[in-house]
Amino acid sequence: MVRVFIYYEKMDRLKQIYETMAGYFRRERITFRLMACAKFEDAAKYLLKSASEEDIFFVDFSRYELGFKLAAYFRDCSLRGSWVYMGPDISGLVKTLFIRPSGFISDPNASEQILQCLKVLVAWHQKQERKLYFPFKFEGEQMRLPFDEICYFESNAKKVILYQTRNARNYIFTAKLDDIGKVLPDFFLRCHQSYIVNMHMIRCLDTKNHVFILYSNEEILISRRMYSQAKEIYERFIHSET
């Protein structure tokens, strides 16, 4: 899924931009979430809550100070996100370079400019999503979490429980650990029929009891069959990190 937020003060043009982008996503059969706002106060309130969840943010710079405040806040909260400067003022664009704009639309009335910029950024984010995020379906919604926020996966009665590190939240969904293991980065370790663990979250290996002890003090079982290989992979990982 690609998540896009648009801030543009002229409501009639905002609707056109929204429809242009939504049409593109539907034609290309890309799953998307598209949000739009014409008031600075509403945009600021939304970003305060959800900035870190957005992939791409299109910002109206017809009033430079307001546009800069929103873009700067978005960049602070979303280092992986992209934001686009919308406006003809090149000098304003130059002043924003230190917060790393990812695109420039000189004429927000030109749908072709908007589409071209959107296509480039969507392609980039789709590529990054495969590298950085784990996608899954939870309670009817398509979700994704950064791999580095996942502590471990536990299989239980044809369901998988994903344990998130950032807010200690758990997600339960239907899947097989075998399939999940195929899309995970190499710092995840299958150590048991029921467990895949993020090795960054392991504090130590208890060789007596054959368990990994996490920084949260939870214990992850290592099966007898997988123990030798899991121990070797974990020790190699530790050496590579030092």
Side-chain angles (χ1 to χ4, degrees):
M1 176 184 287
V2 179
R3 297 163 171 81
V4 179
F5 184 83
I6 314 161
Y7 165 66
Y8 201 79
E9 290 192 342
K10 294 182 179 179
M11 181 59 74
D12 56 343
R13 185 53 192 154
L14 176 62
K15 290 180 179 178
Q16 293 173 5
I17 295 171
Y18 183 98
E19 291 168 1
T20 295
M21 292 184 179
Y24 166 74
F25 284 124
R26 294 188 184 108
R27 287 193 304 274
E28 298 299 319
R29 297 182 179 179
I30 298 171
T31 305
F32 69 97
R33 185 184 73 192
L34 188 55
M35 305 292 291
C37 188
K39 294 183 179 180
F40 170 81
E41 293 79 8
D42 293 340
K45 186 182 298 184
Y46 177 82
L47 288 181
L48 184 63
K49 179 181 178 182
S50 306
S52 62
E53 299 176 4
E54 304 303 322
D55 295 314
I56 308 169
F57 182 25
F58 287 81
V59 190
D60 179 8
F61 269 80
S62 57
R63 290 199 285 173
Y64 177 84
E65 289 186 2
L66 299 185
F68 181 83
K69 285 181 180 179
L70 293 178
Y73 184 78
F74 175 77
R75 175 56 71 212
D76 285 343
C77 296
S78 181
L79 296 177
R80 293 171 178 162
S82 303
W83 74 272
V84 178
Y85 183 107
M86 301 177 70
D89 185 0
I90 299 296
S91 63
L93 173 64
V94 172
K95 289 191 290 184
T96 66
L97 291 181
F98 74 95
I99 53 173
R100 304 186 304 284
S102 302
F104 169 51
I105 296 173
S106 60
D107 182 6
N109 293 307
S111 295
E112 191 55 40
Q113 274 193 40
I114 293 170
L115 275 179
Q116 186 58 36
C117 184
L118 182 65
K119 288 177 183 179
V120 170
L121 293 178
V122 166
W124 186 85
H125 276 279
Q126 287 179 321
K127 184 177 180 180
Q128 294 303 306
E129 182 166 5
R130 289 190 289 272
K131 293 180 181 179
L132 302 174
Y133 296 93
F134 175 72
F136 62 101
K137 199 165 187 177
F138 175 70
E139 295 183 351
E141 292 189 11
Q142 191 63 39
M143 303 283 292
R144 64 175 188 176
L145 287 178
F147 287 120
D148 57 11
E149 288 188 10
I150 298 172
C151 190
Y152 63 94
F153 297 89
E154 179 183 2
S155 178
N156 187 0
K158 297 183 180 180
K159 297 286 186 179
V160 168
I161 308 171
L162 183 160
Y163 294 85
Q164 186 181 12
T165 59
R166 187 176 62 175
N167 54 15
R169 185 174 180 182
N170 304 335
Y171 299 88
I172 302 175
F173 55 95
T174 303
K176 296 180 179 179
L177 285 189
D178 287 342
D179 295 333
I180 289 174
K182 294 174 183 178
V183 302
L184 296 176
D186 57 10
F187 55 82
F188 281 88
L189 173 60
R190 180 74 177 269
C191 60
H192 190 280
Q193 183 178 354
S194 299
Y195 293 100
I196 298 178
V197 62
N198 181 345
M199 288 188 282
H200 290 292
M201 306 299 165
I202 297 173
R203 178 163 58 84
C204 66
L205 167 61
D206 183 338
T207 56
K208 180 180 179 180
N209 296 303
H210 289 193
V211 296
F212 286 120
I213 300 176
L214 308 185
Y215 286 103
S216 61
N217 289 324
E218 294 174 274
E219 295 183 356
I220 302 296
L221 294 175
I222 308 172
S223 70
R224 183 178 301 177
R225 179 175 61 86
M226 297 180 177
Y227 179 74
S228 295
Q229 184 181 22
K231 181 174 181 290
E232 180 182 346
I233 293 173
Y234 176 62
E235 289 176 346
R236 191 162 60 239
F237 172 78
I238 291 174
H239 292 314
S240 69
E241 292 288 293
T242 57

